[in-house]
Every structure is written in structure tokens, then in C-alpha cells.
Amino acid sequence: MESLKNRWQNLPLKRFFMLTVLSTAGAVVLASALVIWCCGAFRHYLLPESYRAYLIMERQWENGSMSEEKYLLEYGENPKLLPYGVIKEDGVPVDREVEQTWYSLQKIEESVDSLTPKRKAAYRACGVIMAAAPAVFAFAGIFLCSVYFYRRKLKVPLSLLSGAAESIAHQDLDFVLDYDCGDELGALCSSFEKMRGVLCENNKAMWRMLEERKLLQASVAHDLRNPIAIVGGYAEYLKKGLETGEMNREKILHIVENMDLAAKRLEQYTESVGQLNKSEERVLKKEWLLASQLPASLTEDICLLAENREISLKITGELPQEEILADGILLHRVLENIAGNALRYARKEIGFDFSLEGNYLSIAVTDDGEGFPQEVLRRKERFFLTPGEGGHMGIGLAVSRLLCIKHGGSLKLENSPDGAEVTVKIAVKRREKIGLQIVSEHTET
């Protein structure tokens, strides 16, 4: 019973509407027929002979005498079957010639006037009901059919969609649109819920980006204070020294060199912010890449840098013979930035581990250095302004993280027992490489 109810509820709108209309029409016909039959039976009870008539035969015989005979006829009866009138005297038929014969019909319906006023009113009321019942039931059926269809199929989903649209208009996405039905409105509610989820995720991403931008601006403003204060302090000190004439040439040159260093630091800060802005505005240019060739092509340049610094490079993980849709230039840039940090802090070795898990390409870059400071790991999303050696501020990691997010992925920092580990994940589309190319590649290997 429950299964039948669910099937009825999950019918498409068109089929549900047609079945509801047909059911209502059948009910209207049955109700009308029942009322008409009941009224007809009641009228027959009030006036049983109302569907009969008397055939009156008046004859004038040759002797001038008149006779009258009545026959009760049912509507549709064949008059040829009626008996022929015969004149009898003392029970014996008399043979006479008929001069003239008159026929007339007297409807028994005319006897309605003979009924009592109450019976007459009831009789006529039944006739009105018999004529009006089909129209009344038809209008009532249309009304009930529309109400039933609205309440069963339209009321709940329209109310949910209206409330959801109002919540979205007020920028309130903290709700769930749940309408479990298999018809078109159920599919519409599911699509609306998916849209709400996407909007919610986009809003969260936008807020995260805004928060990151605020943090970036606050961090840049904080870091700019030091070189600005240094330049201002040296300028004031130089001004006083020149006014008093107590500074020699060497002292002045030393102050100018320090001011030049501070100016270069300011330039470095502005360039860093410019790189982040360009990374956010970058448009992805995806293309089909053969996954099995990515490890070699992405690490080719890094191998040369590692050899120059006498650091060994270890590449692990095999990617399948499939094509993936990704931005190759973005991948190169991300790995170059991460590898640059790894080469800077590594002692003897850095490693690359490639894997393809579902629709995500994962690359783990490790080094045997001291690892990330705990302050960086705690702040997570603010590692982009962490000071390093030689004035390095971790801007490469910040750019890489932004590019990974733009590619539908993430960048994660961890400390392993042997050093630091950076895990890159980007979203890709996959398709199998078929045909002669696979055969040739396997043959070459």
C-alpha cells in the first residue's frame, strides 16, 4: 500500500493531472447517473403511470349509437397489436357496420395536476434536479480536481521554492531544500538545492578570499612600517648630523646604504602584492595532457637546479596511460615555486610523489630540511608572508596556493619526520588513451 502511494505521488505532473481529471470525470458521470436514476424512481413512486397513455376509440354505428373504448399503452408499443373493438348485446357479439371512428390519446402525465401540492412540488423538483445534476457535479468536480491537484502536487514545492528564493534574496543560504518526490517539481527542487549549495560554496570562497585579502593588506601594512620607519629615522638622523656638521663621509655613506636596503625591501613588498593580484586574475587555459608523461616534463627544469646545488632528486609514483584536462603552465609554475622553497631549505634530497586519485591529480613535494615553523602551520592560510632567509617571504607558496584553488584544488603544508612536505591537489577530467598510441608506448617501454 505504501509502495502504491509512493508511485502515485511520484507520477509526472502531466500523467498525474490526466489521471486526476479522468477519475473526476468518471465520478461525475457515476454521481449524475445515480442522482438521475434516484429522481426517476422517486417520480415513478409519486406517479407510477406517468410513462403510459390511454388510446381512446369512439365509434358511431349505423343505427346512430356511440361506443367508447380505452386501451392503456406503453410508450413505443405497436398499435397493430391492439384488440379490435366489438359491440356485444347480452354477451353476444352483434354484427353492425361502423359509420365513423374517432381516435384520441390521453397522456397520464396530465394527471400530475391531480397530485397534492406537496407531491406535485416534489415531482417537479425531481425533474429540475435531473436536469441540473450533471452541470452541478461537473462544476464541483472541476473545483475539487483543481484543489486536489494543487494540494498534492503544487502547494508544498511552491511553498518551499518561494521560501528558498526569499531566503536567497536576503543572502541567507543556511538552509536545506528537502522535497523527496520524483516528479518535475521534485527535480526542480533538487536543482534549486544544488544551486543553493553552489552559491553557498561560492560565497564561502569569496569570503575566504576577502578575509585573505584583508589579512594580506594588514600584513603588508604591518611589514611596510619597519622599512618606512627606518627610512624616516635615517633621514631625520642625517638631517640633524648635516646641520651640526658632526657626520663624516663614511657615516653618511653607511646611512645611505641602509636607506637603499630599506627601499629595496619596500620594492620587494610591492612586487609580492602584484604577483598575488596577477595570480587571482589569471585565466585557466586547460588542455589534454598525457598523464604518464607529466612527472618527467614537470621536473625536467628542477633536475638541473638540483644538480647545480648538489641536491639529489627522487621521483616516485606512476601515472596511468590516460589523458587529463588541466592547465600545464599552471602546474609548471606551482611546482617551480614549491621546488624553489624545497631547494632553498633542503640538505641533500627533495622528492616528488605523483598520484591520480579519482578526478584529482596529487603531487607531494618533500625535502629533508628543518621543516616549516610551527607558527606557519598554525596560521595555515597566512603563510604567504612568513619571513625567510635572504628576505624571502613565502610569496611563492601563496601564489601556488591561489593557483591551486583556481584550478579547483588545494595546497597543504605539513612536517614529516624527515623534513617539510607540501601536497598539491588540482581537479582534472580524465579519459582513456586508446588506439595505436597506447600500443606504441607500451612497446617503447
Side-chain angles (χ1 to χ4, degrees):
M1 186 67 180
E2 187 68 22
S3 176
L4 182 60
K5 182 179 179 180
N6 291 336
R7 290 178 59 186
W8 174 252
Q9 184 66 23
N10 292 330
L11 285 175
L13 290 177
K14 183 178 179 181
R15 186 176 299 177
F16 186 89
F17 179 75
M18 293 300 297
L19 289 177
T20 304
V21 170
L22 291 176
S23 302
T24 304
V28 168
V29 171
L30 290 177
S32 300
L34 180 62
V35 169
I36 291 174
W37 181 83
C38 291
C39 289
F42 187 64
R43 293 185 74 180
H44 185 71
Y45 167 76
L46 295 176
L47 193 62
E49 306 296 335
S50 59
Y51 296 105
R52 297 182 181 182
Y54 285 110
L55 176 63
I56 301 175
M57 300 176 59
E58 294 181 345
R59 298 175 179 174
Q60 182 178 5
W61 302 94
E62 60 182 0
N63 60 358
S65 61
M66 299 290 294
S67 66
E68 180 179 323
E69 297 178 19
K70 288 185 178 181
Y71 297 96
L72 184 61
L73 301 178
E74 294 283 351
Y75 289 157
E77 184 178 355
N78 190 352
K80 294 181 180 180
L81 301 179
L82 294 176
Y84 183 76
V86 178
I87 296 297
K88 295 182 179 181
E89 293 182 356
D90 299 331
V92 179
V94 180
D95 187 13
R96 295 181 181 177
E97 295 292 333
V98 179
E99 293 287 341
Q100 195 172 0
T101 304
W102 294 271
Y103 297 93
S104 64
L105 285 173
Q106 181 184 1
K107 295 182 179 179
I108 299 181
E109 283 185 339
E110 296 175 357
S111 62
V112 172
D113 296 332
S114 62
L115 296 175
T116 63
K118 289 184 179 181
R119 286 178 173 265
K120 186 185 298 183
Y123 186 87
R124 291 174 177 172
C126 287
V128 173
I129 293 174
M130 293 170 66
V136 172
F137 283 128
F139 283 111
I142 292 173
F143 176 76
L144 294 176
C145 178
S146 60
V147 170
Y148 176 77
F149 181 78
Y150 172 76
R151 289 187 175 182
R152 289 300 299 268
K153 282 293 187 179
L154 301 180
K155 183 178 180 180
V156 174
L158 289 180
S159 176
L160 291 175
L161 290 172
S162 177
E166 186 175 354
S167 298
I168 292 176
H170 290 86
Q171 298 183 356
D172 178 18
L173 298 175
D174 189 18
F175 67 91
V176 176
L177 184 59
D178 185 15
Y179 180 66
D180 186 14
C181 186
D183 60 6
E184 292 88 340
L185 287 175
L188 178 60
C189 289
S190 299
S191 300
F192 207 93
E193 171 62 19
K194 292 179 182 178
M195 181 189 71
R196 181 206 65 83
V198 173
L199 287 176
C200 186
E201 292 299 322
N202 290 342
N203 279 357
K204 289 180 180 178
M206 182 183 67
W207 281 111
R208 283 196 299 266
M209 291 179 64
L210 291 176
E211 290 297 322
E212 290 175 12
R213 185 171 288 276
K214 289 180 182 179
L215 292 174
L216 173 62
Q217 292 173 350
S219 300
V220 169
H222 180 270
D223 290 339
L224 286 176
R225 291 175 186 173
N226 290 332
I228 291 174
I230 292 173
V231 171
Y234 277 124
E236 185 68 23
Y237 181 71
L238 184 60
K239 180 180 179 181
K240 290 181 180 181
L242 292 175
E243 288 177 353
T244 59
E246 296 178 354
M247 282 190 176
N248 54 27
R249 180 181 177 82
E250 294 180 357
K251 187 69 173 178
I252 294 174
L253 289 176
H254 179 69
I255 292 174
V256 171
E257 288 177 358
N258 288 339
M259 292 177 68
D260 183 58
L261 290 176
K264 289 181 178 179
R265 288 181 62 189
L266 289 173
E267 183 180 0
Q268 186 181 11
Y269 286 140
T270 56
E271 289 180 357
S272 299
V273 176
Q275 290 183 31
L276 285 173
N277 291 333
K278 290 179 181 179
S279 299
E280 291 178 349
E281 297 172 359
R282 187 183 186 279
V283 179
L284 295 180
K285 296 180 180 179
K286 296 182 179 181
E287 57 184 344
W288 289 104
L289 306 171
L290 188 58
S292 59
Q293 295 179 358
L294 284 179
S297 62
L298 293 176
T299 58
E300 183 177 359
D301 297 335
I302 301 173
C303 288
L304 297 176
L305 296 175
E307 289 180 2
N308 293 336
R309 299 195 181 193
E310 297 181 352
I311 295 176
S312 62
L313 187 65
K314 182 179 179 182
I315 302 174
T316 58
E318 293 185 1
L319 298 181
Q321 293 284 347
E322 294 182 9
E323 288 186 335
I324 60 174
L325 185 63
D327 189 330
I329 298 176
L330 178 145
L331 280 173
H332 276 91
R333 185 175 179 185
V334 169
L335 288 189
E336 284 176 357
N337 290 335
I338 298 174
N341 285 337
L343 290 172
R344 183 176 294 106
Y345 295 103
R347 295 190 181 96
K348 296 181 179 179
E349 182 184 78
I350 64 173
F352 290 85
D353 183 49
F354 292 83
S355 62
L356 191 58
E357 303 170 356
N359 290 325
Y360 285 91
L361 174 65
S362 178
I363 306 173
V365 183
T366 58
D367 64 71
D368 57 356
E370 297 180 358
F372 294 105
Q374 291 300 318
E375 182 183 359
V376 174
L377 297 178
R378 283 196 302 269
R379 291 190 298 180
K380 293 182 179 179
E381 298 181 355
R382 295 184 59 188
F383 58 79
F384 46 77
L385 288 177
T386 300
E389 65 178 18
H392 176 68
M393 297 184 300
I395 197 67
L397 291 179
V399 172
S400 299
R401 177 174 176 274
L402 289 175
L403 293 177
C404 289
I405 293 175
K406 186 177 287 291
H407 210 299
S410 62
L411 187 144
K412 184 179 180 182
L413 303 183
E414 292 178 304
N415 281 337
S416 63
D418 299 328
E421 181 176 350
V422 180
T423 303
V424 174
K425 281 190 176 182
I426 64 169
V428 297
K429 288 185 178 180
R430 303 170 60 175
R431 70 179 181 186
E432 294 184 359
K433 188 74 173 175
I434 59 175
L436 297 176
Q437 189 169 354
I438 283 185
V439 178
S440 62
E441 287 172 357
H442 283 295
T443 305
E444 291 175 2
T445 58

